Amino acid sequence: MGQIADEECEKVILTNEDPYDEDPRKIVEEMASDMKRKPDIIMDRRAAICAAIHAARPGDAVLITGKGTDPFIMGAHGKKIPWSDAEVVREELKQLS
């Protein structure tokens, strides 16, 4: 996925998704290792989405991948953190207006 983003996207931000019992930083660093350009790594998913929205200029598209409609970020030891990429985007866009 990192390699495709590197080839097809002008700017790439890698973030936490569903680490389960794995180290989330290690996951994004492994993705980054397949990339020729150094991506931004922002582990806090909300902060990463906010950064992507703020970096966008008129005519740009922001693609947020990974979670889709999943209602949780799955963490260590079965921990479920309620989550909605769509809701976070709506909240962040409201703050821009």
Side-chain angles (χ1 to χ4, degrees):
M1 285 175 38
Q3 184 179 7
I4 292 169
D6 187 38
E7 293 170 2
E8 302 297 330
C9 299
E10 184 176 315
K11 179 177 182 68
V12 178
I13 300 172
L14 300 179
T15 191
N16 187 28
E17 184 183 320
D18 282 320
Y20 290 89
D21 291 319
E22 295 182 56
D23 178 353
R25 178 153 294 272
K26 184 177 178 189
I27 294 169
V28 296
E29 287 175 355
E30 285 178 15
M31 289 179 62
S33 72
D34 290 335
M35 300 173 72
K36 293 176 183 157
R37 296 177 294 139
K38 185 179 178 188
D40 291 342
I41 295 177
I42 304 172
M43 293 307 298
D44 179 274
R45 192 166 181 87
R46 177 179 287 275
I49 290 170
C50 183
I53 289 170
H54 284 276
R57 298 294 168 242
D60 287 352
V62 175
L63 178 63
I64 300 167
T65 64
K67 295 299 303 158
T69 59
D70 291 345
F72 301 102
I73 292 177
M74 303 303 291
H77 311 292
K79 183 177 180 182
K80 293 181 177 181
I81 301 165
W83 186 260
S84 169
D85 277 348
E87 185 60 33
V88 169
V89 170
R90 282 191 286 276
E91 291 169 2
E92 294 300 328
L93 287 173
K94 279 182 186 177
Q95 291 185 22
L96 288 178
S97 17

